[in-house]
Amino acid sequence: MPPTLLLAEDDRAIRHALERALALEGYQVTAVADGVEALAHAHKAPPDVLVLDVMMPGIDGLQVCRVLRAEGDRTPILMLTALVETADRIAGLDAGADDYVVKPFDVEEVFARLRALLRRTNPGGVPVPVETAAAPRQTPERYLEAAGLRMDPQARRAWRGERELELTRTEFELLELLVRNAGIVLDHSTIYDRIWGYDFGPGSKNLAVYVGYLRRKLDHPDASPLIHTVRGVGYVLRED
């Protein structure tokens, strides 16, 4: 069965062009023009993946995302946005989106990001961490622990101390990768490969945005930062 995809885009030309391209790529596409239709279709026949334009009349893409997440729907969501500021992208992540593409986009980039999202919804496609002897212990088998963090990969829940963290799919997988390799510096290319399945290149800010947003959820005034930047190399999870 081909993967089912729900596309919501109010620009008719973009919607039709993207619908044709996605169908040729092998997706079973349902295309709608606004957020009201998107929610109706998502409730009636939940797709394997959603592609939502941010700026739509009535109910926009961010509101659609918030409603679905509030209902417990964890379907992967790719946002399409003409907004290039980091704060705008963070708003999409805050709403529960898993990834975003900035307009004007290359359709091949959309395909690549969708493939990465779908791989992560398949248990066989979950990124394999770069574990070494220095990786944190798993106690018991179900849980991962490191630097005051505890994660339950099966239930996709995470805690810092007694505080449970509300994480999107991408945030959870990024944190899991860092926890499994606590104390080890992971370079940008390795993280991109494990989380997204390919490297966006040196000009991409995708990883930095996700790390920044994850830090906002992890850190608080009474605790030391856990995710550290190793300039020119990558990131490492460790307590100071």
Side-chain angles (χ1 to χ4, degrees):
M1 287 288 293
T4 56
L5 183 148
L6 176 58
L7 167 65
E9 167 62 68
D10 67 318
D11 187 301
R12 183 177 179 181
I14 295 176
R15 184 173 68 253
H16 287 177
L18 196 51
E19 181 181 9
R20 287 194 300 271
L22 289 165
L24 289 171
E25 187 67 8
Y27 293 92
Q28 184 178 322
V29 184
T30 298
V32 298
D34 58 50
V36 174
E37 288 185 277
L39 282 173
H41 280 275
H43 290 148
K44 182 179 179 181
D48 294 317
V49 63
L50 288 95
V51 179
L52 302 176
D53 182 34
V54 171
M55 304 293 288
M56 292 188 291
I59 299 178
D60 63 21
L62 295 180
Q63 290 173 292
V64 172
C65 194
R66 291 190 187 100
V67 169
L68 292 175
R69 295 305 189 229
E71 294 172 345
D73 189 324
R74 306 312 302 169
T75 303
I77 296 175
L78 176 68
M79 305 294 290
L80 305 178
T81 178
L83 306 173
V84 298
E85 295 297 326
T86 299
D88 297 315
R89 301 179 191 182
I90 287 176
L93 305 180
D94 192 21
D98 296 288
D99 204 352
Y100 61 85
V101 174
V102 177
K103 297 178 181 179
F105 51 78
D106 185 326
V107 71
E108 291 297 330
E109 181 181 2
V110 174
F111 293 161
R113 292 179 187 256
L114 287 172
R115 287 194 297 270
L117 287 177
L118 288 170
R119 277 197 300 272
R120 283 150 46 198
T121 63
N122 179 351
V126 173
V128 179
V130 192
E131 294 195 80
T132 73
R137 59 191 177 90
Q138 200 165 339
T139 56
E141 290 186 2
R142 176 170 175 170
Y143 294 100
L144 296 170
E145 293 184 5
L149 293 172
R150 183 165 58 96
M151 302 189 74
D152 182 348
Q154 294 179 34
R156 303 190 73 81
R157 298 176 68 186
W159 299 262
R160 182 170 189 184
E162 298 301 316
R163 179 170 57 97
E164 184 165 3
L165 308 171
E166 295 295 330
L167 305 175
T168 66
R169 183 187 303 274
T170 299
E171 291 165 359
F172 187 92
E173 291 174 1
L174 177 56
L175 183 60
E176 181 182 355
L177 178 64
L178 291 168
V179 166
R180 287 185 181 275
N181 297 277
I184 299 169
V185 178
L186 298 178
D187 60 54
H188 298 98
S189 294
T190 296
I191 298 174
Y192 273 125
D193 180 66
R194 300 293 194 235
I195 303 301
W196 285 276
Y198 64 104
D199 192 338
F200 297 140
S204 174
K205 295 182 178 179
N206 206 52
L207 177 56
V209 169
Y210 276 95
V211 168
Y213 201 59
L214 194 53
R215 281 170 169 160
R216 286 176 57 186
K217 294 189 175 183
L218 285 174
D219 298 342
H220 54 86
D222 298 326
S224 60
L226 295 181
I227 300 177
H228 302 271
T229 301
V230 180
R231 192 172 300 278
V233 181
Y235 299 95
V236 59
L237 181 94
R238 65 167 181 258
E239 291 181 293
D240 285 336

